[in-house]
Amino acid sequence: MHCSVARPWAALVALSTLLPPGLAAQYPDARLVPRGVLRIAFEPVYFSYGERFDVDGNVEPLGTDFSDDVAGVRLTPTMWSPQDAIGSIIGDAGYTINAGVFRTTLDADIRRFPLNLDFGISRRLTLSASIPLVSTRVQVNFVVDTTGSDMGVNLVSTGQEEAVRDLLLELEAGAALVESQIAAGAYGCPASQLCADAQDLVSRTRMLTGDLVVLTGVFPQGGVNDNLPPFTPRTSSTAGQAVLAAVEGAKAELESFGATPLTGSLPLPDAPVDAATFHNTLTAAGFGYTADSLAFVKYHLKLGDAEVGLRWGALQGENLRAVLTGTVRLPTGTRDLPENFVDIGSGDRQTDVALGAEAVWQPGSVLALAARASYTMQLGDNLPRRITSHTRPIAIAATQQDVGRNLGDVFEAGLYPALRLSRSFVAYGSVYYYYKNTDRFSLTGPFSLPDDQLPTAIEDLEFETGMRSLSFGAGLHYYADRGAGGPSLPIEAGIDYRTAFQGSGGLTPKATRLTFYLRLYWRLFGERERPEPEQPATPDQQ
């Protein structure tokens, strides 16, 4: 489960990318491949999750970051400055936008089909390699409940740009006329109350004009904001009524001070934001996101992060076996896309070095105890990311930057109490602990955002990227190295099931993992080692 935020995670954020490691998938029998023998294994892994553990260990839906009871600037960061502009226009500094209730359900799964090869170099040394093909899928259900919504689509995006510009130019012309009259000594200037009222009107009109520019994204002298605000208040909303009242009030005051009658009006939407409107905000040119919609994502088989390694048999007795392992994970996979907020890559595409050990103790003919532990050093790399926290998963294209990334190192440990059902069959339970340190990111070049954007920093990518989980599971392991004619090359098969019951960190998936495996052996060179004469099997070994 080597992870990056995603993507966001992606996340996902996630969803960031979450991939099961090549190691630690089954019962650790701590055996080596005989010298001169090639083992070919087919070991498909199904890894799924629809929930995660928050920082306090509580279980929450995987789509939490994309959901909100009052959808505001957290999910539409380009509404940060327009929200302030609305508050300034209506005289409510604490105003917050409400685009409705956003509900996003995410269910993710990863299907890994590795071709695992192991070759016995000597009696105590085995060379291993894994070439995985990976299929990822994220099921997305995004719905908007418009109850309580005060936002609709910005009509500038539907052809009302000139109507807004005409209003802005009229307001500025009225303010300029009153200002010229003040300079000419009208309104009892410079000492009368009427003069002070006229000066205040000019100041307030120009402030209103500036706020309308921010709210609509239209510039009086031509053009629109590169990151056009996607929403404005609806005509029927309280905020919309207050904005319209402020505009009409300014027009009436200017006319009362001698301005030519102002006929322009502010076009505001009637319909609320719905799912289609929000998806259009993400995908359409002009809003600044240049992203994919929150929709079903499936990638067909792609190459994952391949692995090469060595296994050294420290102990290879009949009742006690121990193996030390070293693995290098190669950057051959495909990363998640910065512009897709919910997809999952086929790998981290950076180099890992993993050191581990596994052991099996069989004190008798019935009981056994196996254990495994590994420590993975995840080395640094550079990659493009949209700089944001997973709690603000939707980011504009301007936040995308090449960054230096160093994923947190990983420690894993598992304990497998086992019952030997026969000479070849073992049934076991498992307790598995997973820990990943916090990811670290750094800028590889200058980074700045427009002043009207929700503030963000490189540290946001590191937020809640540490993970802890405790999983329980069970499985069956089959290992047969004797045929009707006596000792033979082994055949292995099995099934392993594991699911997370406890965890913390903020992005830790509450994941279920199912693995099947079949391993076949072929002798490439050398002669079969002659075994020691075997004692007759006792009844409980039959």
Side-chain angles (χ1 to χ4, degrees), residues 365-366 420-423 535-542:
S365 60
V366 177
R420 301 182 67 189
L421 304 179
S422 69
R423 180 184 181 88
Q535 299 297 322
T538 58
D540 59 358
Q541 293 177 311
Q542 298 297 323

Side-chain angles (χ1 to χ4, degrees), residues 343-369:
D343 78 319
I344 303 174
S346 67
D348 287 334
R349 198 174 177 81
Q350 45 79 231
T351 304
D352 297 345
V353 177
L355 301 176
E358 58 187 54
V360 174
W361 179 43
Q362 299 173 180
S365 60
V366 177
L367 300 179
L369 182 65

Side-chain angles (χ1 to χ4, degrees), residues 324-405:
L324 302 180
T325 64
T327 303
V328 177
R329 190 168 296 112
L330 304 174
T332 56
T334 302
R335 295 190 184 109
D336 57 291
L337 301 174
E339 66 271 18
N340 190 313
F341 304 128
V342 297
D343 78 319
I344 303 174
S346 67
D348 287 334
R349 198 174 177 81
Q350 45 79 231
T351 304
D352 297 345
V353 177
L355 301 176
E358 58 187 54
V360 174
W361 179 43
Q362 299 173 180
S365 60
V366 177
L367 300 179
L369 182 65
R372 168 188 279 122
S374 68
Y375 185 86
T376 301
M377 296 168 283
Q378 304 205 77
L379 306 184
D381 65 336
N382 295 325
L383 74 167
R385 292 289 88 174
R386 294 196 178 188
I387 299 177
T388 186
S389 163
H390 76 83
T391 59
R392 302 195 305 253
I394 297 173
I396 62 173
T399 65
Q400 186 163 315
Q401 170 79 20
D402 286 337
V403 301
R405 178 184 68 170

Side-chain angles (χ1 to χ4, degrees), residues 129-149:
S130 178
I131 305 171
L133 294 178
V134 180
S135 172
T136 66
R137 182 177 65 174
V138 180
Q139 184 70 47
V140 183
N141 183 28
F142 175 75
V143 296
V144 176
D145 181 353
T146 60
T147 303
S149 169

Side-chain angles (χ1 to χ4, degrees), residues 110-152:
I110 302 167
R111 305 175 189 199
R112 184 181 176 96
F113 303 94
L115 174 62
N116 294 335
L117 305 173
D118 295 271
F119 177 70
I121 298 176
S122 69
R123 294 183 61 184
R124 289 190 176 271
L125 192 63
T126 294
L127 174 67
S128 63
S130 178
I131 305 171
L133 294 178
V134 180
S135 172
T136 66
R137 182 177 65 174
V138 180
Q139 184 70 47
V140 183
N141 183 28
F142 175 75
V143 296
V144 176
D145 181 353
T146 60
T147 303
S149 169
D150 61 5
M151 290 285 112

Side-chain angles (χ1 to χ4, degrees), residues 37 46 69 71 81 95 151 165 168 172 175 226 240 271 279 285-286 322 383 400 418 420 435 518:
V37 171
Y46 178 73
D69 290 338
S81 291
Y95 171 78
M151 290 285 112
R165 183 169 290 114
L168 296 175
E172 174 54 33
D226 290 338
H279 284 152
L383 74 167
Q400 186 163 315
R420 301 182 67 189
Y435 172 83
L518 174 64

Side-chain angles (χ1 to χ4, degrees), residues 88-111:
S88 174
I89 293 170
I90 67 178
D92 180 3
Y95 171 78
T96 57
I97 68 170
N98 178 2
V101 180
F102 285 12
R103 284 285 175 265
T104 306
T105 301
L106 299 178
D107 287 290
D109 66 66
I110 302 167
R111 305 175 189 199

